[in-house]
């Protein structure tokens, strides 16, 4: 990945929705209900490609589609009003714009989190992690018992040979 002079939040959300659809299709296996999904978007918040967020490829259009598909977008604005990045030996200003990310979260049914420093970013990630969650499911336990049975049978066979050095016919 290489930094570019554009931020395309809408394209990012559309790409994430396509990934969610692919995973849901694989995991649902025809009839089962696909697992719930959530998109977490971390940005300075200013989309400039396209310039209109209501454009068919824009952030607001993508957020509305995410809501229709039941995939909330949690947004985290990371940066400061005086933020900048170094590109081609120049300082390019990238002030944080939380308004767009707030609207994306609102339109999609997600939550917005501001993060001006690393501590706030960690708190935001913890809050999102609590919403996502996971479930531990026990798998089949027969493999361990089978290994134990084979090991015990091997020990019994070796012990029988040690006690009576004749091999049964």
């Amino acid at each position: 990945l290489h930094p570019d002079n554009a931020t395309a939040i809408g394209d990012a959300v559309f790409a994430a929705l396509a990934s969610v659809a692919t995973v849901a299709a694989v995991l649902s296996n025809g009839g089962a209900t696909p697992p719930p999904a959530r998109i977490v978007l971390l940005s300075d918040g200013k989309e400039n490609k396209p310039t209109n967020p209501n454009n068919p490829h824009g952030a607001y259009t993508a957020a509305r589609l995410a809501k229709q598909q039941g995939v909330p977008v949690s947004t985290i604005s990371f940066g400061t009003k005086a933020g900048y990045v170094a590109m081609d030996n120049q300082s390019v200003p990238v002030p944080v714009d939380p308004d767009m990310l707030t609207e994306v979260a609102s339109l999609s049914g997600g939550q917005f989190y501001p993060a001006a420093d690393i501590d706030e970013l960690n708190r935001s990630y913890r809050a999102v992690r609590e919403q996502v969650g996971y479930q531990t499911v026990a798998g089949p336990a027969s493999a361990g018992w089978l290994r134990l049975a084979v090991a015990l049978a091997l020990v019994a066979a070796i012990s029988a040979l040690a006690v009576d050095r004749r091999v049964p016919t």
Side-chain angles (χ1 to χ4, degrees):
L1 296 175
H2 301 285
D4 198 357
N5 293 331
T7 301
I9 292 173
D11 285 342
V13 173
F14 284 126
L17 287 172
S19 295
V20 166
T22 300
V23 169
V26 169
L27 294 179
S28 68
N29 199 13
T33 304
R38 176 177 299 268
I39 296 170
V40 179
L41 174 68
L42 176 69
S43 176
D44 61 8
K46 186 62 176 173
E47 178 178 62
N48 57 15
K49 181 181 177 185
T51 55
N52 179 358
N54 286 307
N55 180 294
H57 295 283
Y60 297 166
T61 305
R64 289 184 196 99
L65 180 63
K67 178 151 186 135
Q68 288 174 2
Q69 294 182 5
V71 181
V73 180
S74 291
T75 59
I76 302 172
S77 71
F78 187 67
T80 63
K81 293 284 184 192
Y84 68 92
V85 294
M87 287 182 61
D88 299 326
N89 296 325
Q90 294 179 332
S91 292
V92 178
V94 289
V96 69
D97 181 9
D99 296 337
M100 181 170 280
L101 292 179
T102 301
E103 186 67 14
V104 167
S106 175
L107 288 171
S108 70
Q111 286 79 31
F112 166 75
Y113 303 95
D117 58 35
I118 195 69
D119 292 330
E120 288 182 5
L121 181 62
N122 286 332
R123 277 194 295 277
S124 298
Y125 276 129
R126 277 193 298 275
V128 169
R129 192 177 338 145
E130 288 174 8
Q131 295 171 2
V132 173
Y134 63 92
Q135 180 180 8
T136 303
V137 178
S142 60
W145 291 109
L146 181 61
R147 288 187 189 109
L148 180 62
V150 169
L152 288 175
L154 185 61
V155 168
I158 292 172
S159 297
L161 285 174
V163 171
D164 187 6
R165 295 184 186 250
R166 293 184 312 166
V167 178
T169 57

